[in-house]
């Protein structure tokens, strides 16, 4: 790992320290090559590995320094430590993926179940139905998280989000399979609607 000395590990590095750091790197082709590799692996630099100090490399250094100072306010670390830590936790050329799992507590699930049943077949849920549909709903929520994929092209970061389940739709589908629901006109209209949308 390339190292430039001296280097402060405090999160309050003065601008002169950063300028001195860049000046030392810019004068040393070996350091430029080493840091271009580190910055690329950490996801800050998208260009080719080089021994030339370029504007793209300058931008990568600046972005990394800004992020380092943010985290160093709570967790002081040197520049090399920050880059290595970023690499270790997944900073690379590929997309970063975040999964958010929303699971209703029993009270929230029961409220929704009762509301769906009331609207669909005109009655509230029995104890057995509450238990059955609550467990089914929580299991479905756990299996279908909201997934956000982050990708970077140049200086632009794009976030693409795929949502999890629609809880009300899920419960309607569950309830629609019962004999009581099949005899209800509301679900006949619901089935026709799904057919028209091509989801059956």
């Amino acid at each position: 790992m390339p190292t430039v000395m001296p280097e402060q590990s405090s999160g309050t590095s003065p601008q002169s320290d950063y300028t001195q750091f860049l000046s030392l790197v810019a004068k040393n082709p070996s350091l430029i090559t080493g840091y271009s590799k580190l910055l690329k692996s950490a996801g800050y630099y998208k260009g080719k590995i080089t021994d030339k100090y370029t504007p793209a490399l300058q931008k990568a250094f600046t972005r990394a320094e800004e992020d380092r100072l943010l985290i160093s306010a709570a967790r002081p670390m040197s520049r090399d430590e920050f880059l290595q830590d970023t690499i270790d936790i997944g900073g690379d050329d590929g997309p970063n993926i975040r999964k958010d799992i929303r699971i209703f507590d029993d009270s929230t699930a029961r409220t929704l179940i009762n509301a769906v049943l009331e609207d669909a077949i005109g009655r509230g849920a029995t104890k057995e139905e509450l238990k059955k549909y609550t467990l089914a709903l929580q299991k479905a929520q756990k299996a279908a998280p909201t997934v956000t994929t982050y990708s970077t092209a140049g200086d632009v970061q794009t976030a693409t989000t795929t949502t999890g389940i629609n809880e009300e739709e899920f419960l309607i589908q569950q309830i629609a399979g019962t004999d009581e629901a099949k005899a209800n006109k509301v679900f006949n209209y619901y089935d026709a609607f799904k057919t028209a949308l091509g989801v059956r």
Side-chain angles (χ1 to χ4, degrees), residues 100-105 108-117 133-134 136-146 163-175 190:
D100 295 302
I101 299 176
R102 178 180 67 172
I103 299 179
F104 286 171
D105 58 29
T108 302
R110 289 170 182 171
T111 298
L112 180 60
I113 292 166
N114 271 316
V116 170
L117 274 168
Y133 293 131
T134 294
L137 177 60
Q138 291 171 339
K139 182 178 180 181
Q141 287 179 312
K142 185 176 182 180
T146 295
T163 58
I165 69 168
N166 180 312
E167 287 82 6
E168 185 173 355
E169 172 74 13
F170 172 80
L171 288 172
I172 289 174
Q173 290 179 358
Q174 295 293 305
I175 296 167
Y190 171 71

Side-chain angles (χ1 to χ4, degrees), residues 186-197:
V186 171
F187 282 97
N188 291 335
Y189 294 138
Y190 171 71
D191 287 340
F193 179 67
K194 287 197 301 181
T195 300
L197 292 178

Side-chain angles (χ1 to χ4, degrees), residues 8-18 65 68-69 79:
Q8 295 185 12
S9 61
S10 169
T12 58
S13 300
Q15 183 62 36
S16 58
D17 169 65
Y18 178 54
E65 182 71 3
R68 182 185 77 88
L69 291 176
R79 295 182 180 98

Side-chain angles (χ1 to χ4, degrees), residues 72 120 130:
S72 288
L130 286 173

Side-chain angles (χ1 to χ4, degrees), residues 2-53:
T3 302
V4 176
M5 296 296 291
E7 180 184 344
Q8 295 185 12
S9 61
S10 169
T12 58
S13 300
Q15 183 62 36
S16 58
D17 169 65
Y18 178 54
T19 301
Q20 182 183 23
F21 165 75
L22 292 181
S23 296
L24 290 171
V25 172
K27 296 174 183 177
N28 191 317
S30 296
L31 286 175
I32 294 172
T33 299
Y35 274 109
S36 67
K37 291 179 180 178
L38 276 179
L39 289 165
K40 190 176 182 69
S41 295
Y44 289 104
Y45 177 61
K46 303 301 179 182
K48 297 180 179 179
I49 301 302
T50 180
D51 62 356
K52 307 295 183 183
Y53 193 82

